[in-house]
Amino acid sequence: MSATSALSSTSAVPGKGLKANALGLTSSIVIATASVAPAYSLAASLGLVVVNVGAQAPIIMLLAFVPMLFIAYGYQGLNEIDPDCGTTFTWGARVFGPKTGWMGGWAIIVADVIVMANLAQIAGQYGFQLIGAYGLAASPGWSEIAGIVWIAVMTLICYIGIEISARMQVALLGIELLMLAVLSITALVKVYSGHGIAGSMHVSGSWFNPFNISSFSALTLGLLTAIFIYWGWDTAVSINEETKDRSKTPGRAAVLSTVLLLVTYGLVTVSAEAFSGVGTTGNGLANPDNSGDVLSGLGGEVFGSVGFGWFLSKLLVLMVLSSASASTQTTIMPTARTALSMADHRSIPSAFARIHPRFRTPTWSTIGMGLASIAFYALLTKISTNVLADSISSLGLAISFYYGLTGLACAWHFAPKVFRPGVSGRVLWLRFVLPLLGALILFAFFVYGAYQFWNPSFGTTQWHMPFSPHWIIGGVFITGVGSLVLGIPLMFIYRALRPTYFRGEVIRKGDWPDLTEDSSVSH
């Protein structure tokens, strides 16, 4: 059954059969922000940022925000003229051709499947910590089982319906942002009242000076890590066909969510650095023993371990768990809808275009995302937990690729239009200059990051090439670039089996929906 055949004659649902007008602006902002998982992202990555750039972590958070905001404007511009849930896949095909579009869709799927493995690991460990089962939390086997169950439950919620998912996100994100604010304010109050810990320090203007970072390499690696922290807001655009005023609301939600993330990350980073310092021992944020999870240790020190402080520390653990759960759920959504769009446009098997007649959600696209994530997670944990850690470091490559491709597609498409007489300077900046700058920044990060990741000393794993044992490549490079390159033979195999899409007969290059395109460049 195709997406079209899933529609009923009485349904006012456009496009592929998804439930139209299910979400408003607030719900879209919540889903976009929850998809980023601020608490989980900070827990997993803040320490790594500090390891790379030291006390300049706050300015890295600000600098990483810049390309994210620029690309969000690119998403906004393209969504106004083609609100298709395939986003980068569809837009890339319309601007650059079917193969480029296919690789954009593949990069979205790769990034989401990779991050699901780490989300499952965090969810499993924090779930056991919440109930005091620290032995089980430290057990790779039990954490793996809990993570697999977690993915299955979140997949089921996404399968049942997007409105249920959205309501759940409001509650989870509310707890998350409230606890991050309480943690940050309490930490700063303790520092400035003289009740900090060894290593605590007052906020300094030097933290916001990028020229104090030791090297360009450190700056770039810090930014690649911080880009991962911001990644995920594009979920608001991938659910555009289920949103009220679908050509306008998703783009606004994308832009507003990036600003909300900047405020959150800036506050937490400054307060955590002031309270814990950037030392490599004890509670210092650069301590490698803490780099994989800075929030649980920070919470214990800030709130204490007895009385109400103990309750707040437990609530912080619950917050990171809820953050991982929210992100697990909202990671399934965009991937399922990307696969739905790819199938609807006949670039992958048509089974992925099926829509549940009652829930109006993708069936095989959602289930397939869950199964692929479980398989990838199980495979990596069987190989090594170090491989799992390196896979997260590699995420910046896939993110930079498809975000950069979207920004470039926006600038390329609007270039002939924004220079027309009567078009305002604001439109020139928002539809051409900023998306283009964002794309160039991210592509530069991609190239330099790949160069750095090639070095076998980067990360925790190395791969010896079978044809030349002395040729050793970093595991981060293999996972990041290798997963993207894997899409090329898969694309050509499917092209041989079903060439219609790849001949440009389904999505024609330069052909856009008739949605009064000039409206996006007239204000």
Side-chain angles (χ1 to χ4, degrees):
M1 179 177 65
S2 69
T4 304
S5 63
L7 292 170
S8 67
S9 60
T10 59
S11 174
V13 183
K16 304 171 187 65
L18 296 166
K19 189 171 185 179
N21 301 316
L23 304 170
L25 178 60
T26 301
S27 296
S28 296
I29 294 172
V30 166
I31 288 177
T33 309
S35 186
V36 178
Y40 152 73
S41 298
L42 286 166
S45 303
L46 178 56
L48 298 176
V49 173
V50 174
V51 167
N52 281 308
V53 303
Q56 278 65 53
I59 189 60
I60 287 293
M61 294 300 178
L62 176 59
L63 292 176
F65 160 77
V66 172
M68 292 293 101
L69 179 65
F70 292 177
I71 296 300
Y73 283 124
Y75 270 83
Q76 184 181 44
L78 291 172
N79 183 76
E80 285 186 357
I81 59 174
D82 185 17
D84 188 292
C85 65
T87 60
T88 304
F89 157 72
T90 312
W91 304 332
R94 295 195 191 282
V95 176
F96 300 116
K99 296 187 185 67
T100 303
W102 199 95
M103 287 303 298
W106 173 253
I108 294 174
I109 294 171
V110 162
D112 288 346
V113 169
I114 289 176
V115 79
M116 284 288 284
N118 195 259
L119 286 169
Q121 184 84 351
I122 291 289
Q125 291 175 348
Y126 270 78
F128 287 129
Q129 287 183 30
L130 185 64
I131 61 174
Y134 298 103
L136 295 180
S139 168
W142 280 105
S143 292
E144 179 183 352
I145 292 172
I148 290 173
V149 171
W150 197 263
I151 293 175
V153 171
M154 293 300 108
T155 301
L156 176 62
I157 292 173
C158 290
Y159 183 84
I160 290 174
I162 194 167
E163 288 174 307
I164 294 175
S165 299
R167 287 194 291 269
M168 184 175 178
Q169 296 306 319
V170 171
L172 294 178
L173 184 65
I175 296 172
E176 188 175 345
L177 296 181
L178 176 63
M179 279 305 302
L180 286 175
V182 170
L183 175 70
S184 300
I185 293 170
T186 304
L188 288 173
V189 168
K190 285 199 168 185
V191 169
Y192 280 89
S193 64
H195 295 89
I197 60 176
S200 293
M201 51 188 176
H202 288 188
V203 178
S204 169
S206 65
W207 297 359
F208 300 90
N209 185 356
F211 297 104
N212 285 344
I213 297 174
S214 60
S215 66
F216 181 74
S217 174
L219 171 67
T220 304
L221 293 176
L223 285 171
L224 274 171
T225 304
I227 283 172
F228 163 67
I229 295 178
Y230 278 99
W231 168 59
W233 49 262
D234 52 302
T235 299
V237 187
S238 71
I239 56 174
N240 48 19
E241 296 188 38
E242 297 147 281
T243 307
K244 298 173 184 176
D245 195 4
R246 63 187 187 136
S247 66
K248 302 290 185 183
T249 299
R252 292 169 181 161
V255 172
L256 291 172
S257 64
T258 60
V259 176
L260 177 60
L261 289 167
L262 171 65
V263 174
T264 303
Y265 289 159
L267 177 62
V268 175
T269 302
V270 168
S271 62
E273 188 169 313
F275 187 85
S276 296
V278 294
T280 57
T281 59
N283 292 292
L285 295 180
N287 185 343
D289 295 333
N290 303 333
S291 61
D293 175 16
V294 299
L295 287 189
S296 60
L298 181 64
E301 292 291 340
V302 171
F303 295 132
S305 57
V306 295
F308 188 63
W310 174 89
F311 171 76
L312 289 178
S313 297
K314 285 292 184 182
L315 193 57
L316 188 65
V317 172
L318 175 63
M319 176 203 66
V320 177
L321 178 62
S322 72
S323 180
S325 76
S327 189
T328 305
Q329 190 178 333
T330 51
T331 298
I332 295 170
M333 286 182 196
T335 317
R337 281 146 184 82
T338 298
L340 166 65
S341 182
M342 294 178 77
D344 189 75
H345 290 103
R346 290 174 276 175
S347 71
I348 62 174
S350 58
F352 291 100
R354 292 178 181 171
I355 297 291
H356 194 284
R358 176 186 171 190
F359 301 134
R360 295 293 184 192
T361 55
T363 55
W364 277 110
S365 292
T366 302
I367 295 171
M369 172 60 184
L371 292 176
S373 300
I374 289 172
F376 183 76
Y377 175 46
L379 175 64
L380 289 193
T381 52
K382 292 300 180 188
I383 296 174
S384 169
T385 54
N386 289 334
V387 176
L388 179 62
D390 280 355
S391 71
I392 295 303
S393 298
S394 73
L395 265 175
L397 297 180
I399 297 165
S400 296
F401 177 77
Y402 86 83
Y403 272 6
L405 178 60
T406 306
L408 185 61
C410 181
W412 192 283
H413 173 71
F414 284 106
K417 303 170 179 60
V418 295
F419 294 102
R420 293 174 182 171
V423 175
S424 69
R426 177 178 179 273
V427 171
L428 171 66
W429 278 91
L430 297 185
R431 297 294 176 262
F432 178 74
V433 176
L434 297 186
L436 179 60
L437 285 175
L440 294 176
I441 292 170
L442 290 178
F443 282 137
F445 285 163
F446 179 90
V447 172
Y448 191 79
Y451 170 76
Q452 290 289 327
F453 296 158
W454 177 279
N455 190 330
S457 65
F458 188 91
T460 57
T461 59
Q462 301 82 35
W463 293 78
H464 296 258
M465 297 296 99
F467 50 82
S468 178
H470 299 293
W471 190 12
I472 307 173
I473 300 176
V476 179
F477 179 91
I478 292 292
T479 305
V481 176
S483 58
L484 291 175
V485 172
L486 177 62
I488 297 176
L490 294 178
M491 177 177 64
F492 280 100
I493 290 171
Y494 198 73
R495 180 192 181 194
L497 296 173
R498 199 175 181 188
T500 307
Y501 163 80
F502 297 96
R503 288 198 297 251
E505 297 175 13
V506 181
I507 301 179
R508 298 183 184 276
K509 183 178 177 180
D511 186 22
W512 292 80
D514 184 15
L515 291 178
T516 315
E517 182 178 322
D518 285 342
S519 67
S520 61
V521 293
S522 61
H523 56 275

